[in-house]
Amino acid sequence: MNGVRLKASKTVKVGEKLEIIRGEERFEVIVKALSGKRGNAAAAQALYEETPGSLQKRLLIRENSKMMPMPGSDYHGRPTKRDGRKIRKFIEGFNPSKDI
């Protein structure tokens, strides 16, 4: 909040700027209103507004990541038996002193 790291129990006020980090995504939001009770996501989205700079930056990052995906993003779970055989065959044939 306002450039300072917070604990979850910190009380926020209307008008404060928050930076939210969720995985690789970063949001910068301004608190518009507060609620006295927990609600669903749609109700929560009405209580804050993302800054235009933050939204533009996130969209740019999303576009760039489509063109160049993260290494390993196409892997899903453990290797199959076939994949394991290919990996073992590759490792057996690899000689660092000769191949590099």
Side-chain angles (χ1 to χ4, degrees):
M1 176 170 60
N2 301 325
V4 179
R5 189 176 175 103
L6 300 178
K7 292 185 176 181
S9 62
K10 175 72 175 167
T11 305
V12 296
K13 298 175 186 147
V14 175
E16 289 184 322
K17 185 193 249 183
L18 303 174
E19 182 181 10
I20 301 167
I21 302 170
R22 183 178 64 189
E24 294 295 318
E25 286 186 306
R26 291 178 180 262
F27 301 86
E28 218 173 76
V29 297
I30 297 175
V31 179
K32 292 188 335 186
L34 299 174
S35 176
K37 61 179 183 173
R38 290 180 61 112
N40 59 19
Q45 287 174 346
L47 301 176
Y48 66 86
E49 178 182 10
E50 187 172 5
T51 61
S54 170
L55 182 60
Q56 184 179 11
K57 191 184 228 181
R58 277 192 320 113
L59 292 175
L60 181 65
I61 290 171
R62 188 177 296 161
E63 279 298 314
N64 288 340
S65 66
K66 284 181 184 177
M67 291 182 216
M68 188 172 177
M70 291 289 289
S73 63
D74 56 342
Y75 298 131
H76 302 287
R78 295 180 54 172
T80 62
K81 283 185 176 182
R82 182 179 180 195
D83 294 336
R85 281 188 233 108
K86 287 180 181 178
I87 291 168
R88 284 189 297 277
K89 185 177 180 181
F90 174 77
I91 291 172
E92 288 170 3
F94 181 70
N95 184 351
S97 60
K98 187 170 44 170
D99 294 337
I100 293 180

